[in-house]
Amino acid sequence: MKNVTMIAAVMLCAALFTHCKKENSQNRHPADEPSLPLPANTQRLSAEANSYLQGKHIFVLLGYGYNDEAFVEKTRAALEERYGVQSEEKDGLIMIAVYPDDFMRGSTARISLLTTAVEDTELAGIILLGAPESTHRSLAKLQDKNGGEYPYPVYSFFPQDDVLGSESTADFVLDYAQKTDLLQAEEQLESDFDADNLLANAIETMLNPQEPIPADSDLRSFVQKLVGSGRTIRPYTDGETGLQAQNHFIFE
């Protein structure tokens, strides 16, 4: 009788263990699972920065002057290695869109599609290289959706967009000084300026929420660090009014 009682007790414990294990498995939610690790290049960041970046993306627009196939492929490969690039097959920190290819509606390119491309995405920043005309209108819509200002930084490099519109919808604008011979200026820029390095420097500043974009006099120093010591930037001066812009810089 004693042996029967012990066997019954063992069977009861086994049944309870199986039930509890099954219940715990059923009650586990996807949110309880650990988040996918960020690319290796971001693992050096603080725990707070890594937590901030989880589920977020940095949107990079490659527009005029930066949309040829060779540059796009080189840039995509470099960003894939450093941060991971978002695609239909996998997640990544960086989202890349190329103008006009990724903004076609029928046979017409519409930069207005920028708004819908990112409005439902958690962003850590937007970087524009060669923004086309009316890009600022799409950015203004994003501002409106966020109560008049973005919860993330926006940088505009070498835009072909309206000057005042670019200044009002980006933390800063960086362009090169206009020369009489525009072709000569563009060739010089392409031959001795590393846009990939500038892009990488810009992305790095968006990885840590504890380092906000400075304003006023400190903004110039911030942009100078992005450009590097090889060039010296100066404030953009409006040709008609003679006034210097607070967040618009140029270099030669």
Side-chain angles (χ1 to χ4, degrees):
M1 186 68 177
K2 185 176 180 180
N3 290 338
V4 173
T5 302
M6 291 181 62
I7 293 173
V10 171
M11 293 178 66
L12 177 61
C13 289
L16 288 173
F17 176 78
T18 302
H19 174 74
C20 291
K21 185 176 182 181
K22 182 178 181 181
E23 187 178 52
N24 288 338
S25 177
Q26 290 175 339
N27 291 337
R28 184 179 296 166
H29 298 285
D32 299 328
E33 299 294 334
S35 299
L36 291 175
L38 290 167
N41 198 54
T42 66
Q43 298 305 310
R44 69 189 188 283
L45 300 175
S46 66
E48 183 177 7
N50 273 280
S51 176
Y52 163 75
L53 289 172
Q54 287 290 346
K56 290 185 172 66
H57 302 280
I58 294 175
F59 181 83
V60 175
L61 171 68
L62 302 180
Y64 293 137
Y66 304 92
N67 56 3
D68 63 276
E69 184 176 354
F71 181 84
V72 171
E73 290 307 311
K74 180 183 68 169
T75 300
R76 188 185 301 276
L79 295 181
E80 171 63 37
E81 180 180 358
R82 291 173 64 90
Y83 309 105
V85 174
Q86 176 86 355
S87 68
E88 294 182 357
E89 293 76 26
K90 66 177 184 62
D91 198 14
L93 180 62
I94 308 298
M95 294 174 62
I96 296 178
V98 181
Y99 185 88
D101 294 358
D102 295 329
F103 295 85
M104 300 301 295
R105 179 173 290 173
S107 59
T108 305
R110 298 188 182 278
I111 192 59
S112 58
L113 297 177
L114 170 62
T115 306
T116 55
V118 302
E119 62 183 348
D120 295 325
T121 302
E122 287 289 324
L123 293 177
I126 293 178
I127 300 176
L128 310 170
L129 277 176
E133 300 88 343
S134 297
T135 300
H136 71 280
R137 297 183 186 277
S138 294
L139 294 177
K141 291 180 180 179
L142 291 177
Q143 283 180 321
D144 292 341
K145 290 178 179 292
N146 287 282
E149 59 183 36
Y150 316 105
Y152 46 78
V154 176
Y155 306 162
S156 182
F157 298 107
F158 320 120
Q160 301 297 308
D161 198 8
D162 174 74
V163 172
L164 293 179
S166 297
E167 293 171 354
S168 66
T169 54
D171 287 282
F172 67 82
V173 179
L174 178 66
D175 209 339
Y176 58 90
Q178 294 292 335
K179 295 185 177 181
T180 304
D181 188 340
L182 182 58
L183 180 59
Q184 177 186 354
E186 292 178 345
E187 289 177 347
Q188 178 182 344
L189 183 69
E190 292 174 358
S191 64
D192 63 359
F193 185 73
D194 188 352
D196 279 329
N197 188 57
L198 177 66
L199 180 56
N201 290 344
I203 290 173
E204 287 292 315
T205 68
M206 296 180 172
L207 301 182
N208 195 332
Q210 296 303 307
E211 299 178 4
I213 309 305
D216 302 327
S217 58
D218 293 332
L219 182 58
R220 181 175 179 176
S221 297
F222 176 83
V223 178
Q224 181 67 67
K225 289 180 180 178
L226 296 182
V227 174
S229 58
R231 292 175 181 267
T232 300
I233 67 170
R234 54 188 172 87
Y236 167 82
T237 302
D238 184 87
E240 295 183 2
T241 65
L243 298 176
Q244 289 188 344
Q246 295 297 311
N247 70 333
H248 189 168
F249 305 96
I250 60 174
F251 65 85
E252 295 183 356

